Amino acid sequence: QVRLVESGGGSVQAGGSLRLSCATSGFAVSSVCMGWFRQAPGREREWVARMTASGGVTYYVDSVNGRFSISRDNAKNTLYLQVNNLKSEDTAMYYCAADLPPCHSVIADKSLYKYQGQGTQVTVSS
């Protein structure tokens, strides 16, 4: 059974950092293209970051490039999102998602990720 469980969210001041975790089961995180999405109140869910299966190539939406970092621990079957220099506009529910093989070439379409977690809330105060 596939499960994705996010954790690590919280309330921080602008400029602060958090490390979000996504514990997975039912598949090997190293063999799957994984992504992070976020959804702020009243807004559409938007793609934030992606890591490919082979090679671990990473991609980021422009608004977080240089501040966020996606990584994984294959032994723990866990995906991470390190979020640094947080801004008020980063406030959202953050979700991890799995794009099962063969990975789609379109990386920002949430409908192409077959599995998503329940999310972890990040709130940034200025």
Side-chain angles (χ1 to χ4, degrees):
Q1 182 180 3
V2 173
R3 289 192 68 198
L4 294 83
V5 181
E6 301 93 336
S7 62
S11 296
V12 298
Q13 291 190 329
S17 299
L18 290 168
R19 188 175 78 157
L20 309 183
S21 299
C22 173
T24 72
S25 59
F27 62 92
V29 70
S30 60
S31 66
V32 174
C33 292
M34 298 291 297
W36 284 95
F37 289 77
R38 66 185 180 185
Q39 187 167 17
R43 302 191 66 177
E44 292 288 320
R45 189 171 299 191
E46 68 166 344
W47 168 75
V48 174
R50 178 177 172 99
M51 173 173 276
T52 63
S54 59
V57 180
T58 59
Y59 304 89
Y60 302 92
V61 68
D62 287 346
S63 60
V64 308
N65 202 14
R67 300 189 297 122
F68 289 14
S69 178
I70 187 172
S71 63
R72 68 187 180 209
D73 184 326
N74 295 341
K76 295 182 178 179
N77 223 28
T78 298
L79 182 76
Y80 300 99
L81 185 68
Q82 178 69 40
V83 296
N84 298 325
N85 191 20
L86 283 161
K87 305 176 180 180
S88 57
E89 53 263 42
D90 295 319
T91 294
M93 186 73 79
Y94 284 71
Y95 303 86
C96 64
D99 179 11
L100 300 187
C103 295
H104 294 86
S105 59
V106 177
I107 66 176
D109 185 343
K110 61 183 181 294
S111 68
L112 299 180
Y113 291 75
K114 184 171 184 179
Y115 297 101
Q116 300 194 24
Q118 294 301 305
T120 186
Q121 177 68 38
V122 173
T123 302
V124 184
S125 58
S126 56

